[in-house]
Amino acid sequence: RSFVFEVANTSNEEQSVDFSEFYLVDSRGNKYQADSAGQTMKVTLSEKMVHKIKAGKKRTFVVDFMPAFPMNEKYPILLAGDKVIQLQ
């Protein structure tokens, strides 16, 4: 299952986002690791997981998780490195 994330770099320096550190957690506590990530509206042939974002810019990414996140789960929790985010 794919999810779309908008990532903003509010710093004054180029930053990297490492989608290999992204996990979804379902209501039973099962974890689903990000398997691939690509910037929307941009064709990429590689499945790189680390993407750079220039200072002051926003980028939108489509991220696939494996195993596939259950369709009946509506609001998963996202673990992104050391951050825990309740998705809505």
Side-chain angles (χ1 to χ4, degrees):
R1 185 167 165 195
S2 299
F3 287 79
V4 177
F5 296 98
E6 184 176 80
V7 181
N9 177 1
T10 58
S11 76
N12 293 325
E13 298 177 7
E14 183 174 86
Q15 299 289 319
S16 295
V17 58
D18 185 354
F19 288 102
S20 68
E21 295 182 6
F22 279 42
Y23 294 85
L24 293 180
V25 181
D26 66 19
S27 61
R28 293 177 300 288
N30 298 317
K31 289 173 76 173
Y32 303 82
Q33 184 173 18
D35 184 59
S36 63
Q39 190 173 333
T40 60
M41 304 302 287
K42 185 175 184 181
V43 177
T44 57
L45 299 176
S46 69
E47 291 186 11
K48 68 180 184 176
M49 296 296 285
V50 178
H51 294 267
K52 294 183 187 281
I53 303 172
K54 293 181 181 177
K57 297 291 184 179
K58 291 182 187 176
R59 296 289 178 254
T60 304
F61 296 92
V62 175
V63 182
D64 294 317
F65 290 85
M66 291 293 170
F69 193 80
M71 293 299 286
N72 63 339
E73 290 280 339
K74 296 200 185 285
Y75 303 111
I77 293 172
L78 173 67
L79 303 179
D82 61 352
K83 297 192 181 341
V84 178
I85 303 163
Q86 178 68 52
L87 301 179
Q88 298 182 17

